[in-house]
Amino acid sequence: MKKTIATLIAGLFATAAFAQAPAPAATTPAAAKVEAKQEKQAAKAEVKETKAAAKADVKETKAAAKADVKEAKVEAKEAKHEAKAEVKEAKADAKHAKAEHKTTTVAAATPATTK
């Protein structure tokens, strides 16, 4: 009987030793490959999203720049027309002043005759 009890006790100790041994890796190489593949796909999707967002930003920036250029051209055209109108007006004023000066000079040069 002592041998039986000793065997049972030894068996219990052996079972306890196995229970405390580190568990084998939960992920097998195949599971690790699947997980890595999923991570790679997620990273690719994220890169695609980032590229799409960057493209949209570039398009938006280009459109804004084009609008600014167009607005600047319109403003320059208006300023040019205003300048031309001012030059035309100045020329007309100068012509009018010259004609006025001419009539004044002619009137001063010819004496008025009184009877």
Side-chain angles (χ1 to χ4, degrees), residues 6-70:
T7 307
L8 285 174
I9 292 174
L12 286 174
F13 279 118
T15 310
F18 263 110
Q20 292 184 5
T27 58
T28 60
K33 281 184 180 179
V34 169
E35 189 177 324
K37 192 174 184 180
Q38 288 173 345
E39 288 177 5
K40 188 176 179 181
Q41 287 175 344
K44 280 185 178 180
E46 188 175 329
V47 167
K48 261 187 182 178
E49 270 184 33
T50 306
K51 281 185 178 179
K55 250 185 181 177
D57 286 347
V58 167
K59 279 185 179 180
E60 189 176 303
T61 305
K62 280 185 178 180
K66 280 185 179 181
D68 288 346
V69 168
K70 204 172 194 179

Side-chain angles (χ1 to χ4, degrees), residues 97-111:
K98 188 177 180 182
E100 195 174 290
H101 176 69
K102 194 175 184 181
T103 57
T104 310
T105 309
V106 170
T110 55

Side-chain angles (χ1 to χ4, degrees), residues 63-100:
K66 280 185 179 181
D68 288 346
V69 168
K70 204 172 194 179
E71 186 178 323
K73 283 183 178 180
V74 167
E75 288 177 4
K77 198 172 187 180
E78 287 175 0
K80 186 178 178 182
H81 284 295
E82 287 177 15
K84 279 187 177 181
E86 287 178 12
V87 167
K88 210 174 200 182
E89 187 178 321
K91 281 184 179 180
D93 286 347
K95 191 175 184 182
H96 186 271
K98 188 177 180 182
E100 195 174 290

